[in-house]
Amino acid sequence: MIDEHRSRSVTRADVARYAGVSTAVVSYVLNNGPKPVAVLTKERVLDAVRVLGYRPNAAARALSKGSADMFGLVVHDNRSPFFAELCHTLDQRGTQAGRSLLIVNSDRTQADTAEQLRDLASRQISGLIISVALTASEQALVESLRLPTVVIGPFGETDALPAVSVDLAAGTRAAVEHLIEHGYQDIAFVGSAARYDARERGWADALSAAQLKRGLLIHTSFTYEGGYAAGVRLAEASPRPRAVFAASDQIAIGMLAALRERGVRVPEDIAVASFDGITAADYVWPRLTTAVQPLDQIADAAISVLLNPTPDPGLREFVPELRVRESCGCTPGRD
Amino acid sequence: MIDEHRSRSVTRADVARYAGVSTAVVSYVLNNGPKPVAVLTKERVLDAVRVLGYRPNAAARALSKGSADMFGLVVHDNRSPFFAELCHTLDQRGTQAGRSLLIVNSDRTQADTAEQLRDLASRQISGLIISVALTASEQALVESLRLPTVVIGPFGETDALPAVSVDLAAGTRAAVEHLIEHGYQDIAFVGSAARYDARERGWADALSAAQLKRGLLIHTSFTYEGGYAAGVRLAEASPRPRAVFAASDQIAIGMLAALRERGVRVPEDIAVASFDGITAADYVWPRLTTAVQPLDQIADAAISVLLNPTPDPGLREFVPELRVRESCGCTPGRD
């Protein structure tokens, strides 16, 4: 039953009267403290809350506190497995700090990112987590919001905002160096065309350090479909590269499908290494050798920036760790 | 820079004065209407907003309106690919209705679902979307919140709440019947032990309609790991089932890994059909034959329930459509 008038007119005092306790006790029960409440009293209060349809009003609290105990999170697409895992970890860690997570997908067709940022700010969020690339004007907008803010990821143009990132170049270099150690010489790159994405540079650096020529360069979208399209190009390339670095596990999985359908064997015909370390990387075949992003550390660092904003928080950068499985040609056992 | 006092003392009137316009014009710019504003005037207002650090206050609006234009969504785990896709679709469709999505994972270890539900309600959300199984007392709590509510999914004990669901039994029956048409007689089931999950019944019904005995029954968790563990049991079963229905694509993907590592070929040694129709089902090998849940229809129906609550909304139920790929033994081409 929806009976908005009734629920809205019920106050904490009504609940206290119905339960035969003070309004302070009602608060203790609803806020789990600060003082303990006897079990039977607690049940009486919760019963009164239920019977009367009382809803403590976070909007009123937010108005008096100036904050709604929510973190706003802007991601490109929460379906991408890496972002789904990031959202989940941020939710877990945010909860420990008493914050809920308001998630916004920037790939919405109906609203531009600036509108979404303004909307989030208007909800009196107590912190803003941005995991998409911002334009200069969006960055200026974020600064003007004067909210505790943290950028997660390697989105270069956000120098003025505190950021938590992983060293994309270093992670990629480690993966490509591993492919080189296997003896592969013709190593392709599949990933982003964005200038802020240092993975292409990490690939090029590893090759030039080993005095190898750059292999085929394919720019694609960070989706299964994007990986599939890249796999088709690799399968049809002449000469075909002997190995390939894919900028995300999701791209690599799409690529594997296209190669398999064209009879190109991984790793025998073309070896694969990728980036992210999503759970699924351990369940596809061959299992992916991948530079693992330390999700827990990233989430903790990001939330710490929001809870303890300092005038000059700068950049916290983590280095991914290479996880070796079968896609590169190694033969480790499952742990 | 974080300067909360400043941002909090700035009012719409300050912005209007700084920009040299009326407060009504400030509202039109910030709300994108209802009246149009000339481009240059709009820029002047946005400039004033930026310079003064004005944040329109949704908490104040929520307090006067009694609603914060947010839908609260409780899912078990947003990382599960199906739920990630569901969240994304709900976010897209919710945005069209002017609602943001507050996502809560019920697998949080720190809070129980009842606490999470009370917390969501206290945020003055304008609707509650529940996609987890509720206990009877949680269900009573939800009813007492007097919020527009919709349950997404087949969580049987929620008869008193409006629900949008898919016919799990029918979808499973279609998948198992397809396996039977291939000539397989010994067909196992891998899925949930929960009584509200009608997939096991759908499997049993299809078998008994074809006068076949029930095959191996394996209960497992809806994760890659759960699927992997089930795959190990299938590989080692004696006699080994000729086919298996998995209750989710994610389970099936974990299962494929375990079978492959043990040299059991799919579909040659054991055929697989599953449920959900996540994107990845089209990229693993073999690609999964699966009963596809109509996500867009589910999301639209759920949001429509929240926007147009009626006294007796009952159950909207959709029937999944079987998508035939290679895991069952068919040989369709990629579309």
Side-chain angles (χ1 to χ4, degrees):
Chain A
M1 296 300 294
I2 293 129
D3 183 349
E4 305 216 345
H5 285 289
R6 181 166 172 203
S7 67
R8 220 155 282 137
S9 59
V10 175
T11 66
R12 199 163 52 114
D14 298 329
V15 174
R17 204 170 310 122
Y18 190 96
V21 300
S22 70
T23 54
V25 169
V26 174
S27 293
Y28 300 157
V29 171
L30 296 176
N31 300 323
N32 277 318
K35 293 199 182 167
V37 177
V39 173
L40 284 179
T41 312
K42 187 174 169 182
E43 275 183 14
R44 225 160 58 228
V45 170
L46 290 177
D47 203 45
V49 166
R50 201 158 36 235
V51 170
L52 300 175
Y54 173 64
R55 285 199 264 147
N57 193 327
R61 275 208 307 274
L63 198 60
S64 65
K65 283 174 49 186
S67 143
D69 287 350
M70 291 189 293
F71 289 147
L73 169 65
V74 184
V75 295
H76 177 65
D77 179 351
N78 76 277
R79 288 171 304 183
S80 136
F82 175 72
F83 284 118
E85 295 186 9
L86 178 66
C87 290
H88 190 264
T89 308
L90 285 169
D91 184 38
Q92 294 278 1
R93 304 295 165 127
T95 304
Q96 290 167 6
R99 303 294 191 281
S100 291
L101 207 57
L102 194 62
I103 295 178
V104 162
N105 284 298
S106 69
D107 68 344
R108 281 178 188 168
T109 46
Q110 304 92 342
D112 65 18
T113 306
E115 261 178 71
Q116 295 181 317
L117 290 166
R118 272 193 291 268
D119 177 68
L120 274 174
S122 80
R123 294 180 189 284
Q124 301 299 99
I125 52 173
S126 51
L128 182 59
I129 306 171
I130 296 173
S131 195
V132 295
L134 297 180
T135 63
S137 79
E138 285 160 0
Q139 192 189 338
L141 169 65
V142 168
E143 288 170 50
S144 78
L145 296 173
R146 293 184 168 76
L147 272 170
T149 297
V150 63
V151 175
I152 295 185
F155 303 118
E157 309 275 317
T158 49
D159 302 338
L161 296 170
V164 174
S165 187
V166 292
D167 190 333
L168 296 186
T172 303
R173 218 163 38 233
V176 175
E177 279 164 5
H178 183 79
L179 294 173
I180 293 170
E181 283 164 20
H182 270 282
Y184 311 132
Q185 306 212 329
D186 182 6
I187 301 175
F189 175 91
V190 176
S192 167
R195 251 182 318 148
Y196 59 75
D197 190 324
R199 280 173 277 219
E200 186 175 322
R201 183 163 55 75
W203 164 74
D205 287 353
L207 293 175
S208 67
Q211 293 179 301
L212 294 173
K213 277 193 303 188
R214 295 190 194 184
L216 186 60
L217 174 64
I218 300 177
H219 289 147
T220 195
S221 66
F222 281 63
T223 58
Y224 294 115
E225 294 83 347
Y228 187 88
V232 171
R233 282 194 54 193
L234 285 167
E236 293 171 355
S238 175
R240 194 164 50 220
R242 181 61 189 84
V244 56
F245 170 81
S248 82
D249 295 336
Q250 194 178 19
I251 288 176
I253 292 172
M255 217 161 69
L256 289 180
L259 292 170
R260 190 189 298 120
E261 289 173 14
R262 279 151 192 80
V264 180
R265 296 165 307 159
V266 178
E268 294 84 352
D269 299 327
I270 183 166
V272 173
S274 57
F275 202 97
D276 279 345
I278 61 173
T279 306
D282 201 21
Y283 291 95
V284 292
W285 186 256
R287 300 186 306 153
L288 296 173
T289 291
T290 181
V292 180
Q293 300 208 44
L295 266 181
D296 288 353
Q297 293 177 49
I298 293 170
D300 283 341
I303 284 170
S304 157
V305 168
L306 296 183
L307 296 177
N308 314 297
T310 60
D312 182 21
L315 173 70
R316 282 265 338 243
E317 194 171 52
F318 296 97
V319 178
E321 200 172 307
L322 191 67
R323 181 68 181 275
V324 173
R325 299 198 187 94
E326 290 87 356
S327 69
C328 59
C330 287
T331 51
R334 181 173 286 273
D335 336 290
Chain B
M1 297 301 293
I2 293 127
D3 183 350
E4 306 217 343
H5 285 289
R6 183 166 171 207
S7 69
R8 218 154 289 136
S9 59
V10 175
T11 66
R12 199 164 51 115
D14 298 328
V15 173
R17 205 170 309 118
Y18 190 94
V21 300
S22 70
T23 54
V25 168
V26 174
S27 294
Y28 300 157
V29 170
L30 296 176
N31 300 324
N32 277 320
K35 291 199 181 168
V37 178
V39 174
L40 286 179
T41 311
K42 186 174 171 184
E43 276 183 13
R44 226 159 57 228
V45 170
L46 290 177
D47 204 44
V49 166
R50 200 155 40 231
V51 170
L52 300 175
Y54 173 66
R55 287 199 262 146
N57 194 325
R61 275 208 307 273
L63 198 61
S64 66
K65 284 172 51 185
S67 144
D69 287 348
M70 292 189 293
F71 289 147
L73 170 65
V74 185
V75 295
H76 177 65
D77 179 350
N78 76 276
R79 289 172 303 185
S80 136
F82 174 73
F83 284 117
E85 294 185 10
L86 178 65
C87 289
H88 191 264
T89 308
L90 285 168
D91 183 38
Q92 295 278 3
R93 305 294 167 129
T95 304
Q96 290 168 5
R99 301 296 192 281
S100 291
L101 207 58
L102 194 62
I103 297 178
V104 162
N105 283 297
S106 69
D107 68 346
R108 281 180 189 167
T109 48
Q110 303 92 343
D112 66 15
T113 306
E115 262 178 72
Q116 295 181 317
L117 290 166
R118 274 193 290 268
D119 177 68
L120 274 175
S122 80
R123 294 179 188 284
Q124 301 297 100
I125 51 172
S126 51
L128 182 59
I129 308 171
I130 296 172
S131 196
V132 295
L134 297 180
T135 63
S137 80
E138 286 160 359
Q139 192 189 339
L141 169 64
V142 168
E143 288 170 52
S144 79
L145 295 174
R146 293 186 169 75
L147 273 170
T149 297
V150 63
V151 175
I152 295 185
F155 305 117
E157 309 277 316
T158 49
D159 301 339
L161 296 171
V164 174
S165 186
V166 293
D167 189 333
L168 295 185
T172 303
R173 218 161 41 232
V176 175
E177 279 164 4
H178 183 79
L179 293 173
I180 293 169
E181 283 165 21
H182 271 282
Y184 313 131
Q185 306 211 331
D186 182 5
I187 301 176
F189 175 91
V190 176
S192 168
R195 248 183 321 149
Y196 59 75
D197 191 323
R199 280 173 278 219
E200 186 175 322
R201 183 164 55 74
W203 163 75
D205 286 353
L207 293 175
S208 68
Q211 293 179 301
L212 294 173
K213 277 194 303 189
R214 294 192 196 185
L216 186 60
L217 173 65
I218 301 177
H219 289 146
T220 196
S221 67
F222 280 64
T223 58
Y224 294 116
E225 294 82 348
Y228 188 89
V232 171
R233 283 193 54 192
L234 286 167
E236 293 170 355
S238 177
R240 193 164 53 221
R242 183 57 189 87
V244 56
F245 170 81
S248 82
D249 296 335
Q250 193 180 18
I251 288 176
I253 292 172
M255 217 161 70
L256 290 180
L259 293 169
R260 188 189 300 119
E261 289 174 12
R262 279 149 191 81
V264 180
R265 295 165 306 161
V266 177
E268 293 84 353
D269 298 327
I270 182 167
V272 173
S274 57
F275 202 98
D276 279 346
I278 62 172
T279 306
D282 201 20
Y283 291 96
V284 293
W285 186 254
R287 301 187 306 155
L288 297 172
T289 291
T290 183
V292 179
Q293 299 208 43
L295 266 181
D296 288 353
Q297 292 176 49
I298 292 171
D300 283 342
I303 284 169
S304 155
V305 168
L306 296 183
L307 296 177
N308 314 297
T310 59
D312 182 23
L315 173 70
R316 279 273 327 249
E317 194 171 51
F318 295 98
V319 178
E321 201 172 305
L322 190 67
R323 181 68 181 273
V324 173
R325 299 198 187 94
E326 290 88 356
S327 69
C328 60
C330 286
T331 50
R334 182 173 284 273
D335 337 288

